[in-house]
Amino acid sequence: MIDCENEVYTRIARVLREKFPGINIAGEYVKAPSSFPHVSITQSDNSAVSEKMTGSAEMAQVMFEINVYSNRTDGKKTECKTIAKVIDKVFFGMNFKRLAFTPVPNLEDATIYRIVARYRAMTDGQYFYRR
């Protein structure tokens, strides 16, 4: 199995920490983040590309889900969108295609704004390819 989750997480986290000092970033879903703004970066799918197989999985199609949260009193939507735009730029720079960009009501705490985005690419473990 081709595993690129660490590479993708590290690239995005590095840029976010530069641009948003103090941002809380996790590599898995966190029900109650300890601080805000919060971003989770998770690989939600990793499947072999069958037409590229020659005995082993030489290519994988990967999907990542990003959750961006803000609890600001004013401007939480703007904060989430600003962070999401930076993430979007990093993913496009790695040849990922955006599949979704959706505000999601945070039913457990309506004072927290949340945006979910999903990205997909194919990879050979070294490079990412957009389809």
Side-chain angles (χ1 to χ4, degrees):
M1 180 177 96
I2 296 171
D3 185 8
C4 62
E5 187 172 13
N6 263 354
E7 177 67 25
V8 172
Y9 175 88
T10 301
R11 287 188 194 189
I12 294 168
R14 185 179 308 128
V15 172
L16 289 177
R17 288 185 178 118
E18 279 178 20
K19 296 206 179 267
F20 307 99
I23 194 167
N24 184 316
I25 306 170
E28 57 191 38
Y29 173 76
V30 177
K31 184 176 181 180
S34 59
S35 65
F36 293 91
H38 175 77
V39 174
S40 68
I41 306 164
T42 57
Q43 182 175 279
S44 57
D45 188 32
N46 181 327
S47 55
V49 179
S50 58
E51 59 269 11
K52 303 290 184 188
M53 290 179 68
T54 57
S56 66
E58 294 177 351
M59 291 288 285
Q61 182 167 271
V62 293
M63 184 174 9
F64 283 83
E65 181 174 288
I66 308 300
N67 286 272
V68 182
Y69 301 86
S70 175
N71 69 344
R72 278 188 173 177
T73 305
D74 292 323
K76 57 186 150 202
K77 180 178 182 178
T78 300
E79 182 176 45
C80 282
K81 287 176 109 178
T82 301
I83 293 167
K85 284 180 185 178
V86 170
I87 294 167
D88 202 62
K89 193 177 228 179
V90 175
F91 268 115
F92 281 133
M94 291 189 293
N95 285 326
F96 277 76
K97 178 182 177 182
R98 183 176 1 94
L99 303 174
F101 185 92
T102 312
V104 176
N106 194 348
L107 300 176
E108 292 196 22
D109 186 350
T111 65
I112 299 170
Y113 191 83
R114 176 182 174 197
I115 290 176
V116 176
R118 289 184 186 88
Y119 297 86
R120 181 176 56 208
M122 287 186 12
T123 182
D124 59 6
Q126 184 175 5
Y127 300 104
F128 297 100
Y129 305 95
R130 192 177 321 187
R131 274 196 129 190

